[in-house]
Amino acid sequence: MVFSLTETVTTEISGDSEEALEEALFAELRRISCSCRIASARTIEVESVNASFGSILRNDDTVVTLRPHRRGRGYVMEARVRYRPSVWFWLFLAGDLLLLEVLVGFLGLVLTLGLYFYNRKLVADALSTALRYAAAAVK
């Protein structure tokens, strides 16, 4: 899944304000991610934002670009995020589905065996009754 986030910073466009904004942006991104590097002028690449225990289920790569606002009202920061499931996600999902199959399969097995033995009793009772009635009719 790919999604974008944008934020407009209203400030005067100058080399000093752009540099200060880049430094503040890099410091903040470095604080919230495992890996942060300046790829080129106005572009920062970020990996594993807010990594925690649950992060083994996902991979995220973000490219943050800084560009002047088209109307000259400051800068636009755009983060394009590529968010996708990890290998661990697919392993856990397969395990969950297998476990679900086992549980449903177990319940299905119990239900099937229960119905099988219940119907066996119904057939035996019906035949026993029929034989008794037949024997009583002959006497």
Side-chain angles (χ1 to χ4, degrees):
M1 167 188 345
V2 176
F3 60 94
S4 294
L5 305 167
T6 59
E7 184 70 32
T8 302
V9 180
T10 305
T11 183
E12 80 174 53
I13 296 178
S14 70
D16 291 339
S17 62
E18 182 176 330
E19 187 176 313
L21 186 56
E22 281 179 350
E23 287 175 12
L25 181 60
F26 184 78
E28 189 62 26
L29 292 172
R30 189 178 58 218
R31 186 181 67 77
I32 64 167
S33 67
C34 289
S35 172
C36 185
R37 69 180 191 87
I38 297 174
S40 64
R42 299 183 178 172
T43 304
I44 301 171
E45 293 180 352
V46 182
E47 293 179 4
S48 300
V49 174
N50 281 343
S52 64
F53 175 72
S55 301
I56 64 170
L57 300 177
R58 60 151 167 109
N59 290 322
D60 63 277
D61 302 316
T62 306
V63 176
V64 180
T65 56
L66 178 68
R67 65 177 190 276
H69 193 278
R70 64 177 176 222
R71 294 187 181 147
R73 289 189 241 168
Y75 294 93
V76 175
M77 296 180 290
E78 180 183 22
R80 297 187 55 85
V81 183
R82 189 172 68 148
Y83 187 87
R84 60 197 186 283
S86 70
V87 171
W88 285 107
F89 170 84
W90 294 113
L91 291 174
F92 280 119
L93 181 65
D96 290 343
L97 290 175
L98 182 62
L99 181 61
L100 182 64
E101 280 292 317
V102 169
L103 289 177
V104 170
F106 177 74
L107 293 175
L109 179 65
V110 168
L111 182 63
T112 301
L113 290 174
L115 287 173
Y116 173 79
F117 288 113
Y118 177 72
N119 283 317
R120 180 179 172 264
K121 181 182 180 310
L122 289 177
V123 169
D125 288 343
L127 285 173
S128 177
T129 303
L131 291 174
R132 255 193 337 247
Y133 284 158
V138 170
K139 291 184 184 179

